[in-house]
Amino acid sequence: PPVDTTGDWQPDTVANSQPRVVSSVTFAGDFNSLNLALFVADFKAAIADKLSSVAVSEVAVTSIAAGSIVVEFSVLVDDMTESKAVVDEMDGLGDGLYSDLVADYGAVVSTGTPVATAIEDEANVGSGPSIVVIAGAAVGAAVVAIGVTVAAYVIVRRRKKAADRVSPTNSTMDPMMSS
């Protein structure tokens, strides 16, 4: 394939809430000789072709790095049930998942274990503040309360000391003044 050193390719972005299967693969090919746009198109087509329920648009290449050719990718799914089915299919195919790419990009050196992402229960997404927010608010309120208490204590102590200097309570009275 022709070389693309212009950096025209940009990694795909995947929303944190998108259910997906995440994996990686390393090919023995030379990263510096890649046409990144062509490689990504070939990669997505090959993965979609091998996985029965996956379209090209559901394959997201999130990173390509040197060290041979190291690819991190996600397969976008509708829910965790589909995610498990994709993981099972990827596991069943093993290195065969990438067989259509070997001739152009080198042998498969290593593969990552496909992992289904766990997302929040769809019924609970956006239904209220998370426990982290609630705990943070509670800790923040406690810190403010402690700060106000310390400030009030310091003010009261200073006023008391100032009052003691003006009219000391332990001074001895002049015996002539008392009757």
Side-chain angles (χ1 to χ4, degrees):
V3 177
D4 172 13
T5 57
T6 62
D8 289 340
W9 175 79
Q10 294 295 317
D12 295 322
T13 55
V14 180
N16 287 337
S17 61
Q18 172 69 50
R20 62 191 172 276
V21 175
V22 178
S23 194
S24 63
V25 60
T26 301
F27 295 98
D30 180 14
F31 176 82
N32 294 320
S33 68
L34 278 183
N35 173 322
L36 291 176
L38 179 61
F39 173 78
V40 168
D42 287 350
F43 186 86
K44 289 179 175 188
I47 299 302
D49 185 54
K50 294 287 184 176
L51 297 174
S52 60
S53 65
V54 175
V56 171
S57 62
E58 296 171 319
V59 179
V61 176
T62 55
S63 172
I64 304 172
S68 296
I69 304 169
V70 182
V71 184
E72 294 178 4
F73 67 99
S74 295
V75 177
L76 310 180
V77 294
D78 293 328
D79 54 37
M80 293 306 288
T81 302
E82 184 183 359
S83 192
K84 178 165 179 6
V86 169
V87 167
D88 291 345
E89 191 173 7
M90 289 173 75
D91 283 340
L93 288 168
D95 288 357
L97 178 62
Y98 312 103
S99 62
D100 293 349
L101 299 163
V102 170
D104 290 330
Y105 303 107
V108 173
V109 175
S110 66
T111 59
T113 302
V115 177
T117 60
I119 62 168
E120 295 180 59
D121 178 22
E122 292 175 16
N124 292 328
V125 172
S127 64
S130 71
I131 190 70
V132 174
V133 172
I134 294 169
V139 169
V143 168
V144 169
I146 291 169
V148 168
T149 303
V150 168
Y153 175 79
V154 168
I155 291 169
V156 168
R157 288 279 298 179
R158 285 184 181 169
R159 286 185 180 165
K160 186 172 187 306
K161 283 184 179 182
D164 286 349
R165 277 185 254 149
V166 172
S167 64
T169 57
N170 292 336
S171 65
T172 56
M173 295 183 72
D174 185 358
M176 301 296 279
M177 298 287 280
S178 60
S179 41

